[in-house]
PDB file of all heavy atoms in Angstrom:
ATOM      1  N   PHE A   1      -1.942   4.303   1.422  1.00 93.00           N
ATOM      2  CA  PHE A   1      -3.171   4.097   0.677  1.00 93.00           C
ATOM      3  C   PHE A   1      -2.894   3.248  -0.587  1.00 93.00           C
ATOM      4  O   PHE A   1      -1.712   3.047  -0.933  1.00 93.00           O
ATOM      5  CB  PHE A   1      -3.699   5.531   0.264  1.00 93.00           C
ATOM      6  CG  PHE A   1      -2.869   6.322  -0.703  1.00 93.00           C
ATOM      7  CD1 PHE A   1      -2.797   6.023  -2.076  1.00 93.00           C
ATOM      8  CD2 PHE A   1      -2.107   7.414  -0.244  1.00 93.00           C
ATOM      9  CE1 PHE A   1      -2.088   6.746  -2.940  1.00 93.00           C
ATOM     10  CE2 PHE A   1      -1.338   8.135  -1.148  1.00 93.00           C
ATOM     11  CZ  PHE A   1      -1.303   7.812  -2.463  1.00 93.00           C
ATOM     12  N   CYS A   2      -3.932   2.838  -1.207  1.00 96.00           N
ATOM     13  CA  CYS A   2      -3.847   2.142  -2.516  1.00 96.00           C
ATOM     14  C   CYS A   2      -4.732   2.903  -3.476  1.00 96.00           C
ATOM     15  O   CYS A   2      -5.908   3.274  -3.120  1.00 96.00           O
ATOM     16  CB  CYS A   2      -4.348   0.676  -2.355  1.00 96.00           C
ATOM     17  SG  CYS A   2      -4.599  -0.132  -3.992  1.00 96.00           S
ATOM     18  N   SER A   3      -4.203   3.289  -4.600  1.00 96.00           N
ATOM     19  CA  SER A   3      -4.973   4.028  -5.592  1.00 96.00           C
ATOM     20  C   SER A   3      -5.180   3.240  -6.793  1.00 96.00           C
ATOM     21  O   SER A   3      -4.283   2.813  -7.541  1.00 96.00           O
ATOM     22  CB  SER A   3      -4.095   5.264  -5.959  1.00 96.00           C
ATOM     23  OG  SER A   3      -4.744   6.020  -6.950  1.00 96.00           O
ATOM     24  N   THR A   4      -6.541   3.002  -7.048  1.00 96.00           N
ATOM     25  CA  THR A   4      -6.918   2.227  -8.252  1.00 96.00           C
ATOM     26  C   THR A   4      -7.435   3.274  -9.238  1.00 96.00           C
ATOM     27  O   THR A   4      -8.406   3.965  -8.977  1.00 96.00           O
ATOM     28  CB  THR A   4      -8.067   1.224  -7.900  1.00 96.00           C
ATOM     29  OG1 THR A   4      -7.487   0.264  -7.026  1.00 96.00           O
ATOM     30  CG2 THR A   4      -8.575   0.525  -9.127  1.00 96.00           C
ATOM     31  N   LEU A   5      -6.699   3.379 -10.379  1.00 96.00           N
ATOM     32  CA  LEU A   5      -7.104   4.396 -11.353  1.00 96.00           C
ATOM     33  C   LEU A   5      -8.023   3.875 -12.495  1.00 96.00           C
ATOM     34  O   LEU A   5      -8.877   4.548 -12.906  1.00 96.00           O
ATOM     35  CB  LEU A   5      -5.806   5.016 -11.962  1.00 96.00           C
ATOM     36  CG  LEU A   5      -4.795   5.570 -10.894  1.00 96.00           C
ATOM     37  CD1 LEU A   5      -3.596   5.977 -11.659  1.00 96.00           C
ATOM     38  CD2 LEU A   5      -5.454   6.757 -10.175  1.00 96.00           C
ATOM     39  N   SER A   6      -7.685   2.629 -12.862  1.00 96.00           N
ATOM     40  CA  SER A   6      -8.380   2.105 -14.014  1.00 96.00           C
ATOM     41  C   SER A   6      -8.218   0.550 -14.027  1.00 96.00           C
ATOM     42  O   SER A   6      -7.164   0.127 -13.562  1.00 96.00           O
ATOM     43  CB  SER A   6      -7.954   2.702 -15.331  1.00 96.00           C
ATOM     44  OG  SER A   6      -7.871   1.763 -16.321  1.00 96.00           O
ATOM     45  N   PRO A   7      -9.134  -0.222 -14.640  1.00 96.00           N
ATOM     46  CA  PRO A   7      -9.003  -1.683 -14.695  1.00 96.00           C
ATOM     47  C   PRO A   7      -7.728  -2.086 -15.501  1.00 96.00           C
ATOM     48  O   PRO A   7      -7.166  -3.193 -15.359  1.00 96.00           O
ATOM     49  CB  PRO A   7     -10.239  -2.204 -15.394  1.00 96.00           C
ATOM     50  CG  PRO A   7     -11.223  -1.096 -15.204  1.00 96.00           C
ATOM     51  CD  PRO A   7     -10.469   0.202 -15.108  1.00 96.00           C
ATOM     52  N   LYS A   8      -7.298  -1.163 -16.366  1.00 94.00           N
ATOM     53  CA  LYS A   8      -6.180  -1.450 -17.290  1.00 94.00           C
ATOM     54  C   LYS A   8      -4.855  -1.110 -16.654  1.00 94.00           C
ATOM     55  O   LYS A   8      -3.766  -1.443 -17.232  1.00 94.00           O
ATOM     56  CB  LYS A   8      -6.352  -0.637 -18.607  1.00 94.00           C
ATOM     57  CG  LYS A   8      -7.544  -1.072 -19.399  1.00 94.00           C
ATOM     58  CD  LYS A   8      -7.765  -0.120 -20.602  1.00 94.00           C
ATOM     59  CE  LYS A   8      -9.059  -0.517 -21.364  1.00 94.00           C
ATOM     60  NZ  LYS A   8      -9.477   0.512 -22.279  1.00 94.00           N
ATOM     61  N   ILE A   9      -4.783  -0.494 -15.474  1.00 97.00           N
ATOM     62  CA  ILE A   9      -3.535  -0.146 -14.884  1.00 97.00           C
ATOM     63  C   ILE A   9      -3.445  -0.796 -13.494  1.00 97.00           C
ATOM     64  O   ILE A   9      -4.394  -0.767 -12.687  1.00 97.00           O
ATOM     65  CB  ILE A   9      -3.494   1.400 -14.709  1.00 97.00           C
ATOM     66  CG1 ILE A   9      -3.644   2.098 -16.086  1.00 97.00           C
ATOM     67  CG2 ILE A   9      -2.289   1.914 -13.897  1.00 97.00           C
ATOM     68  CD1 ILE A   9      -3.868   3.619 -16.008  1.00 97.00           C
ATOM     69  N   THR A  10      -2.345  -1.440 -13.180  1.00 97.00           N
ATOM     70  CA  THR A  10      -2.062  -2.048 -11.953  1.00 97.00           C
ATOM     71  C   THR A  10      -2.114  -0.932 -10.854  1.00 97.00           C
ATOM     72  O   THR A  10      -1.554   0.146 -11.059  1.00 97.00           O
ATOM     73  CB  THR A  10      -0.594  -2.682 -11.933  1.00 97.00           C
ATOM     74  OG1 THR A  10      -0.700  -3.752 -12.905  1.00 97.00           O
ATOM     75  CG2 THR A  10      -0.327  -3.306 -10.634  1.00 97.00           C
ATOM     76  N   PRO A  11      -2.773  -1.223  -9.765  1.00 98.00           N
ATOM     77  CA  PRO A  11      -2.979  -0.109  -8.693  1.00 98.00           C
ATOM     78  C   PRO A  11      -1.609   0.331  -8.164  1.00 98.00           C
ATOM     79  O   PRO A  11      -0.620  -0.365  -8.244  1.00 98.00           O
ATOM     80  CB  PRO A  11      -3.749  -0.779  -7.630  1.00 98.00           C
ATOM     81  CG  PRO A  11      -4.410  -1.908  -8.257  1.00 98.00           C
ATOM     82  CD  PRO A  11      -3.559  -2.346  -9.371  1.00 98.00           C
ATOM     83  N   TYR A  12      -1.597   1.557  -7.564  1.00 98.00           N
ATOM     84  CA  TYR A  12      -0.385   2.161  -7.023  1.00 98.00           C
ATOM     85  C   TYR A  12      -0.583   2.117  -5.446  1.00 98.00           C
ATOM     86  O   TYR A  12      -1.659   2.391  -5.018  1.00 98.00           O
ATOM     87  CB  TYR A  12      -0.195   3.601  -7.417  1.00 98.00           C
ATOM     88  CG  TYR A  12       0.375   3.695  -8.842  1.00 98.00           C
ATOM     89  CD1 TYR A  12      -0.557   3.667  -9.961  1.00 98.00           C
ATOM     90  CD2 TYR A  12       1.701   3.830  -9.097  1.00 98.00           C
ATOM     91  CE1 TYR A  12      -0.052   3.764 -11.257  1.00 98.00           C
ATOM     92  CE2 TYR A  12       2.157   3.972 -10.413  1.00 98.00           C
ATOM     93  CZ  TYR A  12       1.295   3.941 -11.453  1.00 98.00           C
ATOM     94  OH  TYR A  12       1.765   3.997 -12.751  1.00 98.00           O
ATOM     95  N   VAL A  13       0.533   1.753  -4.868  1.00 98.00           N
ATOM     96  CA  VAL A  13       0.407   1.614  -3.353  1.00 98.00           C
ATOM     97  C   VAL A  13       1.476   2.567  -2.666  1.00 98.00           C
ATOM     98  O   VAL A  13       2.618   2.556  -3.176  1.00 98.00           O
ATOM     99  CB  VAL A  13       0.636   0.173  -2.890  1.00 98.00           C
ATOM    100  CG1 VAL A  13       0.861   0.028  -1.361  1.00 98.00           C
ATOM    101  CG2 VAL A  13      -0.622  -0.717  -3.336  1.00 98.00           C
ATOM    102  N   LEU A  14       1.041   3.324  -1.688  1.00 96.00           N
ATOM    103  CA  LEU A  14       1.918   4.093  -0.925  1.00 96.00           C
ATOM    104  C   LEU A  14       2.002   3.626   0.489  1.00 96.00           C
ATOM    105  O   LEU A  14       0.937   3.450   1.149  1.00 96.00           O
ATOM    106  CB  LEU A  14       1.533   5.650  -0.948  1.00 96.00           C
ATOM    107  CG  LEU A  14       2.423   6.609  -0.236  1.00 96.00           C
ATOM    108  CD1 LEU A  14       2.649   7.949  -0.984  1.00 96.00           C
ATOM    109  CD2 LEU A  14       1.857   6.992   1.191  1.00 96.00           C
ATOM    110  N   VAL A  15       3.184   3.399   1.100  1.00 96.00           N
ATOM    111  CA  VAL A  15       3.347   3.090   2.543  1.00 96.00           C
ATOM    112  C   VAL A  15       4.560   3.840   3.041  1.00 96.00           C
ATOM    113  O   VAL A  15       5.421   4.260   2.273  1.00 96.00           O
ATOM    114  CB  VAL A  15       3.517   1.616   2.793  1.00 96.00           C
ATOM    115  CG1 VAL A  15       2.275   0.748   2.505  1.00 96.00           C
ATOM    116  CG2 VAL A  15       4.713   0.987   2.035  1.00 96.00           C
ATOM    117  N   ASN A  16       4.605   4.092   4.299  1.00 94.00           N
ATOM    118  CA  ASN A  16       5.915   4.615   4.961  1.00 94.00           C
ATOM    119  C   ASN A  16       6.345   3.528   5.859  1.00 94.00           C
ATOM    120  O   ASN A  16       5.879   3.406   7.032  1.00 94.00           O
ATOM    121  CB  ASN A  16       5.449   5.884   5.743  1.00 94.00           C
ATOM    122  CG  ASN A  16       5.262   7.067   4.763  1.00 94.00           C
ATOM    123  OD1 ASN A  16       6.179   7.700   4.394  1.00 94.00           O
ATOM    124  ND2 ASN A  16       3.997   7.380   4.453  1.00 94.00           N
ATOM    125  N   PHE A  17       7.368   2.782   5.458  1.00 94.00           N
ATOM    126  CA  PHE A  17       7.790   1.535   6.110  1.00 94.00           C
ATOM    127  C   PHE A  17       8.853   1.831   7.075  1.00 94.00           C
ATOM    128  O   PHE A  17       9.973   2.291   6.706  1.00 94.00           O
ATOM    129  CB  PHE A  17       8.192   0.508   5.080  1.00 94.00           C
ATOM    130  CG  PHE A  17       8.379  -0.860   5.706  1.00 94.00           C
ATOM    131  CD1 PHE A  17       7.350  -1.761   5.826  1.00 94.00           C
ATOM    132  CD2 PHE A  17       9.657  -1.243   6.121  1.00 94.00           C
ATOM    133  CE1 PHE A  17       7.464  -2.968   6.373  1.00 94.00           C
ATOM    134  CE2 PHE A  17       9.766  -2.532   6.718  1.00 94.00           C
ATOM    135  CZ  PHE A  17       8.714  -3.392   6.867  1.00 94.00           C
ATOM    136  N   THR A  18       8.613   1.624   8.394  1.00 91.00           N
ATOM    137  CA  THR A  18       9.659   1.827   9.428  1.00 91.00           C
ATOM    138  C   THR A  18      10.177   0.553  10.043  1.00 91.00           C
ATOM    139  O   THR A  18      11.075   0.579  10.894  1.00 91.00           O
ATOM    140  CB  THR A  18       9.066   2.733  10.551  1.00 91.00           C
ATOM    141  OG1 THR A  18       8.066   2.011  11.254  1.00 91.00           O
ATOM    142  CG2 THR A  18       8.530   3.964  10.032  1.00 91.00           C
ATOM    143  N   GLY A  19       9.577  -0.644   9.688  1.00 91.00           N
ATOM    144  CA  GLY A  19      10.016  -1.893  10.232  1.00 91.00           C
ATOM    145  C   GLY A  19       9.300  -2.400  11.423  1.00 91.00           C
ATOM    146  O   GLY A  19       9.629  -3.501  12.021  1.00 91.00           O
ATOM    147  N   LYS A  20       8.224  -1.749  11.860  1.00 87.00           N
ATOM    148  CA  LYS A  20       7.460  -2.266  13.011  1.00 87.00           C
ATOM    149  C   LYS A  20       6.451  -3.307  12.540  1.00 87.00           C
ATOM    150  O   LYS A  20       6.099  -3.264  11.311  1.00 87.00           O
ATOM    151  CB  LYS A  20       6.608  -1.140  13.670  1.00 87.00           C
ATOM    152  CG  LYS A  20       7.464  -0.002  14.184  1.00 87.00           C
ATOM    153  CD  LYS A  20       7.998  -0.416  15.623  1.00 87.00           C
ATOM    154  CE  LYS A  20       9.002   0.550  16.228  1.00 87.00           C
ATOM    155  NZ  LYS A  20      10.419   0.322  15.991  1.00 87.00           N
ATOM    156  N   SER A  21       5.987  -4.179  13.366  1.00 86.00           N
ATOM    157  CA  SER A  21       5.005  -5.257  12.885  1.00 86.00           C
ATOM    158  C   SER A  21       3.739  -4.586  12.329  1.00 86.00           C
ATOM    159  O   SER A  21       3.178  -5.043  11.396  1.00 86.00           O
ATOM    160  CB  SER A  21       4.673  -6.173  14.077  1.00 86.00           C
ATOM    161  OG  SER A  21       3.832  -5.458  15.031  1.00 86.00           O
ATOM    162  N   ARG A  22       3.394  -3.413  12.870  1.00 87.00           N
ATOM    163  CA  ARG A  22       2.171  -2.648  12.339  1.00 87.00           C
ATOM    164  C   ARG A  22       2.391  -2.341  10.882  1.00 87.00           C
ATOM    165  O   ARG A  22       1.449  -2.336  10.063  1.00 87.00           O
ATOM    166  CB  ARG A  22       1.974  -1.405  13.205  1.00 87.00           C
ATOM    167  CG  ARG A  22       0.593  -0.839  13.125  1.00 87.00           C
ATOM    168  CD  ARG A  22       0.471   0.262  14.122  1.00 87.00           C
ATOM    169  NE  ARG A  22       0.004  -0.090  15.426  1.00 87.00           N
ATOM    170  CZ  ARG A  22      -1.279  -0.288  15.748  1.00 87.00           C
ATOM    171  NH1 ARG A  22      -2.175  -0.019  14.839  1.00 87.00           N
ATOM    172  NH2 ARG A  22      -1.660  -0.650  16.942  1.00 87.00           N
ATOM    173  N   ASP A  23       3.651  -2.032  10.496  1.00 93.00           N
ATOM    174  CA  ASP A  23       3.932  -1.661   9.098  1.00 93.00           C
ATOM    175  C   ASP A  23       3.769  -2.846   8.181  1.00 93.00           C
ATOM    176  O   ASP A  23       3.371  -2.710   7.053  1.00 93.00           O
ATOM    177  CB  ASP A  23       5.388  -1.153   8.947  1.00 93.00           C
ATOM    178  CG  ASP A  23       5.583   0.224   9.636  1.00 93.00           C
ATOM    179  OD1 ASP A  23       4.633   0.970   9.811  1.00 93.00           O
ATOM    180  OD2 ASP A  23       6.742   0.418  10.162  1.00 93.00           O
ATOM    181  N   VAL A  24       4.114  -4.077   8.659  1.00 94.00           N
ATOM    182  CA  VAL A  24       3.956  -5.249   7.872  1.00 94.00           C
ATOM    183  C   VAL A  24       2.502  -5.516   7.565  1.00 94.00           C
ATOM    184  O   VAL A  24       2.025  -5.815   6.446  1.00 94.00           O
ATOM    185  CB  VAL A  24       4.572  -6.541   8.508  1.00 94.00           C
ATOM    186  CG1 VAL A  24       4.607  -7.621   7.576  1.00 94.00           C
ATOM    187  CG2 VAL A  24       5.984  -6.208   9.034  1.00 94.00           C
ATOM    188  N   PHE A  25       1.675  -5.283   8.638  1.00 94.00           N
ATOM    189  CA  PHE A  25       0.187  -5.446   8.442  1.00 94.00           C
ATOM    190  C   PHE A  25      -0.420  -4.381   7.587  1.00 94.00           C
ATOM    191  O   PHE A  25      -1.328  -4.624   6.775  1.00 94.00           O
ATOM    192  CB  PHE A  25      -0.524  -5.478   9.831  1.00 94.00           C
ATOM    193  CG  PHE A  25      -0.383  -6.770  10.538  1.00 94.00           C
ATOM    194  CD1 PHE A  25       0.613  -7.037  11.427  1.00 94.00           C
ATOM    195  CD2 PHE A  25      -1.224  -7.800  10.195  1.00 94.00           C
ATOM    196  CE1 PHE A  25       0.787  -8.273  12.076  1.00 94.00           C
ATOM    197  CE2 PHE A  25      -1.069  -9.082  10.858  1.00 94.00           C
ATOM    198  CZ  PHE A  25      -0.100  -9.300  11.728  1.00 94.00           C
ATOM    199  N   THR A  26       0.163  -3.081   7.700  1.00 94.00           N
ATOM    200  CA  THR A  26      -0.304  -2.076   6.756  1.00 94.00           C
ATOM    201  C   THR A  26      -0.022  -2.422   5.375  1.00 94.00           C
ATOM    202  O   THR A  26      -0.831  -2.218   4.419  1.00 94.00           O
ATOM    203  CB  THR A  26       0.326  -0.675   7.068  1.00 94.00           C
ATOM    204  OG1 THR A  26       0.022  -0.408   8.465  1.00 94.00           O
ATOM    205  CG2 THR A  26      -0.065   0.401   6.237  1.00 94.00           C
ATOM    206  N   LEU A  27       1.153  -3.040   5.117  1.00 97.00           N
ATOM    207  CA  LEU A  27       1.589  -3.474   3.696  1.00 97.00           C
ATOM    208  C   LEU A  27       0.606  -4.504   3.209  1.00 97.00           C
ATOM    209  O   LEU A  27       0.090  -4.377   2.088  1.00 97.00           O
ATOM    210  CB  LEU A  27       3.035  -4.082   3.761  1.00 97.00           C
ATOM    211  CG  LEU A  27       3.655  -4.394   2.466  1.00 97.00           C
ATOM    212  CD1 LEU A  27       3.855  -3.200   1.555  1.00 97.00           C
ATOM    213  CD2 LEU A  27       4.964  -5.054   2.653  1.00 97.00           C
ATOM    214  N   ALA A  28       0.192  -5.414   4.082  1.00 97.00           N
ATOM    215  CA  ALA A  28      -0.758  -6.487   3.734  1.00 97.00           C
ATOM    216  C   ALA A  28      -2.052  -5.879   3.401  1.00 97.00           C
ATOM    217  O   ALA A  28      -2.822  -6.306   2.451  1.00 97.00           O
ATOM    218  CB  ALA A  28      -0.834  -7.549   4.871  1.00 97.00           C
ATOM    219  N   HIS A  29      -2.480  -4.891   4.256  1.00 96.00           N
ATOM    220  CA  HIS A  29      -3.774  -4.208   4.038  1.00 96.00           C
ATOM    221  C   HIS A  29      -3.879  -3.539   2.746  1.00 96.00           C
ATOM    222  O   HIS A  29      -4.795  -3.716   1.953  1.00 96.00           O
ATOM    223  CB  HIS A  29      -3.967  -3.197   5.226  1.00 96.00           C
ATOM    224  CG  HIS A  29      -5.302  -2.448   5.218  1.00 96.00           C
ATOM    225  ND1 HIS A  29      -6.286  -2.914   6.003  1.00 96.00           N
ATOM    226  CD2 HIS A  29      -5.666  -1.431   4.554  1.00 96.00           C
ATOM    227  CE1 HIS A  29      -7.356  -2.140   5.888  1.00 96.00           C
ATOM    228  NE2 HIS A  29      -6.984  -1.174   4.935  1.00 96.00           N
TER     229      HIS A  29
END
């Protein structure tokens, strides 16, 4: 997920990266 808290704070991103091509697309998403 990507969590946007406020315009003054850079968003936070959580991924569970295993190295599959699907994970690269999830990262881009």
